[in-house]
Amino acid sequence: MGFNVPTLAPIGLLIASNVFMTFAWYWHLKFHSAALWVIVLISWGIAFFEYWLAIPANRIGYQVYSAAELKTIQEVISLSAFALFAVFYLGEKLTWNHGVGFAFIGLGAFFIFKGPLK
């Protein structure tokens, strides 16, 4: 069984892009004294690299996934990356409510990939 680029590469690229995007959007929450315009410029710089990963991920992935499937993959990865970031970088705690909400998102992803209902 070989490496299937159109199937697996988008997932790896989306994981990497979501790490960048999570940092771009939330890293500054620990730096309250920094000027907003500085935070925005730094975040744009970080997001630049996210685009260099996300765009090829979607372009390659569209060979084997529908647009809805690609978006679903991205959202599940995004939520996972954010949860890890919130716990390990921001020091927040995940609750049962978070778990239930994540489970519903996972259920939605299941229906995207296994649909349509008959």
Side-chain angles (χ1 to χ4, degrees), residues 36-76:
L36 184 58
W37 70 270
V38 172
I39 296 297
V40 169
L41 287 177
I42 292 169
S43 291
W44 276 350
I46 297 168
F48 172 81
F49 296 102
E50 184 269 342
Y51 271 71
W52 275 99
L53 297 164
I55 301 303
N58 288 313
R59 191 141 187 174
I60 295 166
Y62 197 59
Q63 297 174 44
V64 292
Y65 299 111
S66 70
E69 289 171 336
L70 283 167
K71 183 60 179 173
T72 302
I73 293 167
Q74 187 276 326
E75 290 299 335
V76 169

Side-chain angles (χ1 to χ4, degrees), residues 6-24:
T7 302
L8 299 176
I11 295 169
L13 289 166
L14 287 171
I15 289 170
S17 77
N18 274 280
V19 169
F20 277 100
M21 203 60 188
T22 299
F23 271 95

Side-chain angles (χ1 to χ4, degrees), residues 5 18 28 36 38 71 94 105 107 113:
V5 173
N18 274 280
H28 57 87
L36 184 58
V38 172
K71 183 60 179 173
L94 294 180
I105 291 168
L107 186 61
F113 280 88

